[in-house]
Amino acid sequence: MEPISNHRFPPSKENSKVTESTSEKIVDVSQLPPPQRHPLIFSTFEHLTPGEAFVLVNNHDPKPLYYQFKAEHEGQFSWDYLEQGPQHWRVRIGRVEANTGQA
């Protein structure tokens, strides 16, 4: 894991990590209390422009988060597992271009 650098979105707690490399942001919520995780994740997503993404790092499979994204942001996000446990899960979450309905 890369060291913390270039904070773009300040962490809501000292033990959370939001870092930015030259290519993508990393949001490590594995040490945050569960009630603070989703607000940080959705705040980070809301600040993405279409085509941008961040990598979520967690200590369990964030599948419930996927269903929340699907319910609240259908067609607006991408979800790609990069690592699937057993100790760490990494998921690239991106904002996709809005479908304008034009052909």
Side-chain angles (χ1 to χ4, degrees):
M1 181 71 52
E2 296 178 359
I4 296 175
S5 63
N6 298 326
H7 290 290
R8 182 166 179 180
F9 304 110
S12 59
K13 277 291 207 182
E14 289 179 12
N15 55 355
S16 70
K17 295 179 188 173
V18 178
T19 64
E20 188 173 345
S21 68
T22 56
S23 60
E24 59 193 6
K25 299 166 195 72
I26 299 172
V27 179
D28 183 352
V29 297
S30 60
Q31 301 300 312
L32 273 179
Q36 296 176 7
R37 293 177 181 189
H38 286 202
L40 176 61
I41 293 163
F42 282 104
S43 174
T44 303
F45 178 77
E46 291 299 323
H47 286 91
L48 295 177
T49 59
E52 286 187 317
F54 66 95
V55 174
L56 171 67
V57 179
N58 206 348
N59 57 4
H60 67 274
D61 187 350
K63 187 169 280 201
L65 178 68
Y66 169 80
Y67 291 117
Q68 187 175 354
F69 263 100
K70 188 168 174 62
E72 297 177 11
H73 299 283
E74 179 75 41
Q76 300 172 31
F77 75 101
S78 61
W79 182 278
D80 299 299
Y81 280 99
L82 304 175
E83 181 179 354
Q84 292 182 281
Q87 293 181 331
H88 295 82
W89 277 258
R90 293 185 322 121
V91 180
R92 181 178 294 113
I93 301 171
R95 181 178 287 278
V96 298
E97 295 283 342
N99 185 355
T100 61
Q102 299 175 357

